Amino acid sequence: MDYRHLGKRKTLALGVYPAVSLAKARQRRDKARELLADGIDPGEAKRLEKHAKLDAAASPL
């Protein structure tokens, strides 16, 4: 998905076709559009979410 945030052109990957259905890709696109409407960069949000999951998995309980 191509989008613009703060005047910069960016691309967001929604997934690879066989692993991600068209319906799921459309849901991800809609979520990214909602983030953009709120002024949040969806690529940055995706990256931060990924790092949070990795940190949670790495930290012992």
Side-chain angles (χ1 to χ4, degrees), residues 9-59:
R9 182 175 176 259
K10 299 185 177 190
T11 302
L12 177 68
L14 301 175
V16 180
Y17 167 65
V20 177
S21 68
L22 183 58
K24 186 69 171 176
R26 286 178 176 157
Q27 289 175 351
R28 291 178 183 180
R29 178 204 59 200
D30 292 341
K31 183 179 176 184
R33 285 183 176 174
E34 288 176 9
L35 289 172
L36 278 172
D38 293 337
I40 300 169
D41 182 3
E44 183 70 17
K46 181 179 175 182
R47 189 180 66 79
L48 291 174
E49 185 178 322
K50 181 179 178 181
H51 285 309
K53 285 182 182 179
L54 289 174
D55 289 344
S59 65

Side-chain angles (χ1 to χ4, degrees), residues 1-11 36 41-42:
M1 173 182 151
D2 287 338
Y3 65 96
R4 290 180 96 50
H5 184 70
L6 300 176
K8 291 184 129 182
R9 182 175 176 259
K10 299 185 177 190
T11 302
L36 278 172
D41 182 3

